[in-house]
Amino acid sequence: MYGRGRSIGAVMKETGHPQERINTGVAHSARVYDYILGGKNHYEADVAAGDAMVQVWPALPVHMRANRAFMHRVSRHLARERGIRQFLDIGTGLPTPPNLHEVVQEVEPRARVVYVDNDPIVLNYAQALLDSTPQGMTAYVQADMRDPDAILESARFREVLSLDEPIALTIIGILHFIHPGDDDHGLVERLLAPLPPGSYLAATIGTADFAPEEVGRVAERYAAEGMPMVLRTHAEAASFFDGLELEEPGVVQVHKWRPDPDDEKIRDVDIAMYGAVARKPF
């Protein structure tokens, strides 16, 4: 389950991944996210889409930064306060330091992380996600959240993560692209099902509760780019954590989940994402 001391980088070189053709003429959510946050791994279609979205909602960069800051705080909390040493990160996106493994391995160098994404460009840059500490381990799985079996039955998952110990399942900034027609709750439940009691779910869920007109226009722009979104109410967001034990302060806007004193000061109206952390009961 844990491998035999080989680095995952070496494993990737031995087995490889099938390279998929990247359609540079069509915007992709991971690359739009990268562009708006000031990254360099995007194309003209992503720039055009990102500019159009920021034009209709200028707070979008603030919102995206807050979402990423939530991921940093949550992963650090789970590693430091809850002793979690294994992480399964769905919808990883393009590498942007500090990545999740860098955050948790700063707390615990032995931490192990499996990253999952379905965008071919993320695969091209996945080596940046594999810069693990010598004591820990990271791996990358090219798969879609809509196919949990492809994730849970992958060689990377089985080699890096042990089902004998708790695992943190992190689904950050992706559920608004998973529709009820995709069996959204069922997908989360299937990913959680094999994880042992004491595991955690950390997720963010898009909402239009605080700026319905502006966020609605952003959703229209995403839909126009072939990326339809579903924006959920607080009750709908909270339902993803049914049957789990919520950590305080529960399901809140991401900037309100245990903020650090030096975090960016943010208006509620500028955030369109709920976030929460919950434990799978014993």
Side-chain angles (χ1 to χ4, degrees):
M1 188 70 72
Y2 276 152
R4 301 290 181 183
R6 297 179 298 171
S7 75
I8 289 298
V11 173
M12 287 189 70
K13 290 177 183 177
E14 291 166 7
T15 62
H17 281 286
Q19 295 291 321
E20 298 181 36
R21 181 178 179 82
I22 298 171
N23 187 347
T24 62
V26 177
H28 189 284
S29 58
R31 301 193 299 264
V32 172
Y33 186 82
D34 174 78
Y35 167 64
I36 292 176
L37 289 182
K40 300 178 180 179
N41 302 316
H42 49 260
Y43 299 98
E44 289 184 9
D46 308 303
V47 172
D51 286 345
M53 293 170 191
V54 172
Q55 185 174 7
V56 300
W57 192 35
L60 186 57
V62 175
H63 160 84
M64 288 185 169
R65 289 195 300 270
N67 183 67
R68 188 157 185 85
F70 171 87
M71 183 273 285
H72 292 155
R73 294 195 307 276
V74 163
S75 56
R76 188 178 298 112
H77 166 77
L78 289 172
R80 179 179 294 156
E81 306 300 331
R82 299 295 178 253
I84 299 299
R85 300 293 180 256
Q86 304 188 106
F87 293 79
L88 175 60
D89 184 56
I90 308 295
T92 297
L94 288 156
T96 305
N99 294 294
L100 188 150
H101 74 280
E102 294 167 319
V103 174
V104 299
Q105 288 181 346
E106 183 178 2
V107 176
E108 174 47 72
R110 294 172 296 175
R112 296 166 177 260
V113 179
V114 171
Y115 291 109
V116 179
D117 205 288
N118 69 344
D119 183 4
I121 197 173
V122 178
L123 172 60
N124 288 354
Y125 290 92
Q127 193 62 39
L129 299 172
L130 304 174
D131 185 23
S132 173
T133 60
Q135 305 96 315
M137 190 173 289
T138 63
Y140 179 77
V141 175
Q142 180 79 5
D144 195 305
M145 180 180 169
R146 297 175 183 86
D147 187 2
D149 290 343
I151 299 168
L152 299 171
E153 296 176 6
S154 68
R156 308 280 181 249
F157 178 88
R158 294 194 303 270
E159 182 170 26
V160 177
L161 304 182
S162 169
L163 294 177
D164 294 330
E165 300 178 15
I167 296 171
L169 170 63
T170 57
I171 309 176
I172 308 298
I174 189 67
L175 281 173
H176 47 282
F177 295 116
I178 307 295
H179 290 239
D182 298 321
D183 188 23
D184 50 357
H185 287 76
L187 292 174
V188 175
E189 291 166 3
R190 286 167 63 191
L191 288 166
L192 276 171
L195 308 188
S199 294
Y200 283 84
L201 169 65
T204 61
I205 299 105
T207 184
D209 283 355
F210 301 93
E213 292 185 10
E214 296 87 343
V215 176
R217 288 196 292 267
V218 172
E220 290 173 358
R221 291 304 313 171
Y222 268 102
E225 298 292 341
M227 297 176 284
M229 299 171 64
V230 54
L231 299 169
R232 295 176 170 91
T233 64
H234 183 270
E236 290 168 336
S239 68
F240 282 98
F241 302 92
D242 286 350
L244 304 176
E245 300 168 347
L246 278 167
E247 295 253 305
E248 292 293 339
V251 181
V252 296
Q253 285 177 285
V254 289
H255 67 299
K256 294 182 175 181
W257 199 93
R258 304 191 182 199
D260 294 327
D262 56 351
D263 279 352
E264 180 180 5
K265 302 304 179 185
I266 299 172
R267 303 183 306 162
D268 292 356
V269 73
D270 291 339
I271 300 299
M273 199 81 80
Y274 287 116
V277 177
R279 186 178 70 167
K280 185 174 180 177
F282 286 91

